[in-house]
Every structure is written in structure tokens, then in C-alpha cells.
Amino acid sequence: MSDEPRPRPQYGEYATPEEQRAAIRQPTPEPAAPVDPPHPPTAPATTVAARPTRMADRVITLALLAYGLFTVIGAIPQLVDYGSFAKTWMEVAGVSGEFTNTDQGALWGGIGATVFAVGWLLTAILSWWSLSRGRLSWWIPPVGAIVTFLIVSVCLVVPLFGDADLLRGIALGS
């Protein structure tokens, strides 16, 4: 430390804020009143974007569900009478012979009819749920129909290929 006095500041570099104000003859500021934080802006209720109604999607979805319902209603009696179904299937496939696996046919025909009804019901519930949330829903009935049809097809094939007479007719090429 030296005893030399500090050099006089030329531009106020050593001055405190109070010394700077005194040098330019500015009064000391009074403490500022607390400022309330700004309020977040509120949007008017009319600016909320509404979801589109998608009327075409609703119409298509409901039309596909109606078509599916008529298909299921028409298919259930045929599946319950599995013997007639098997006879028709054999004629269309060109297989000669007679369907003899009637007990298993009645069981699997009833299962197929139940799967058809439950599949349509689940598809309708899922479609309604999707429509109520404003989502695109037209694709749900076709996908539900395909999945249900595949499961029902497996149910219908079991008694057909469990019939020895039918398998002989297929092996012989009718």
C-alpha cells in the first residue's frame, strides 16, 4: 500500500452511484413502490377453437355399422343351421358327398353366430366412442368386420374339416 493519494477519477470510474448523482446534481431517487406482477392475458371465450363436426365421417361410419348389422342379422340364422350352411358350401366348392359332422357343426355354428354378434357389438361401441370424441371413425367398421370375419371363418372351418366324408370328397377331387 502506498501513501500516494488515488488519482482523481476522470470519468467517474471510482465513484459510487451516490457520488455520481451528486456530481451531476441529480437528486437521490426515492424507493420505488412495489409493482404488481402483470396479469396473464385472458382469452375471450369465443376464441376457443371448436373441433370440426366431420359430418361425412359420422354418416359413413353409421352407414357402415348399419350395413354390418344387416349382414350379421342375415348370417346368424344360416350359422345356427350349420347343416344347410355346410351343404351350400360343399355345392359352391364342388365337393360331392354329404356333411355328417352335424353335432360339431351345430356347436361351431352357434359359436360363429355369437362371435358375429359380439364382434359387431364391440365394433359399434368402439365406433360410437370414437365419434363422441370427434375423431375420424369411418375405418373402425371395416376393420372390425375383417377381424370378426376371420375369427368366424376359423369357427366355420373346424367342423368342415372334422368331417371324414367331406375330406374324402376333397381328396378325391370330387
Side-chain angles (χ1 to χ4, degrees):
M1 294 265 217
S2 80
D3 288 335
E4 293 180 23
R6 277 182 20 191
R8 181 175 163 95
Q10 293 181 2
Y11 303 105
E13 62 253 23
Y14 300 127
T16 65
E18 291 81 23
E19 291 172 333
Q20 290 174 358
R21 275 193 290 281
I24 60 171
R25 293 178 181 83
Q26 185 180 26
T28 305
E30 295 184 19
V35 178
D36 289 339
H39 295 288
T42 56
T46 58
T47 62
V48 176
R51 287 184 175 229
T53 58
R54 296 187 174 149
M55 185 57 73
D57 179 57
R58 288 182 182 273
V59 170
I60 292 169
T61 302
L62 294 175
L64 288 170
L65 286 172
Y67 177 74
L69 181 62
F70 287 121
T71 302
V72 169
I73 289 172
I76 287 177
Q78 295 174 2
L79 296 177
V80 172
D81 184 16
Y82 193 85
S84 296
F85 168 79
K87 182 178 178 185
T88 303
W89 184 86
M90 291 171 67
E91 289 172 2
V92 170
V95 177
S96 63
E98 188 175 326
F99 180 73
T100 58
N101 195 6
T102 56
D103 291 338
Q104 200 176 36
L107 171 68
W108 284 98
I111 292 171
T114 303
V115 168
F116 242 146
V118 170
W120 183 88
L121 186 62
L122 290 175
T123 301
I125 290 170
L126 186 59
S127 297
W128 189 260
W129 177 81
S130 181
L131 283 172
S132 68
R133 282 167 178 61
R135 296 182 178 158
L136 206 58
S137 305
W138 67 265
W139 61 272
I140 297 173
V143 170
I146 290 169
V147 170
T148 302
F149 183 75
L150 289 174
I151 296 169
V152 170
S153 295
V154 170
C155 293
L156 299 180
V157 166
V158 170
L160 288 173
F161 289 117
D163 187 0
D165 197 29
L166 176 74
L167 291 177
R168 270 194 298 278
I170 291 173
L172 296 174
S174 292

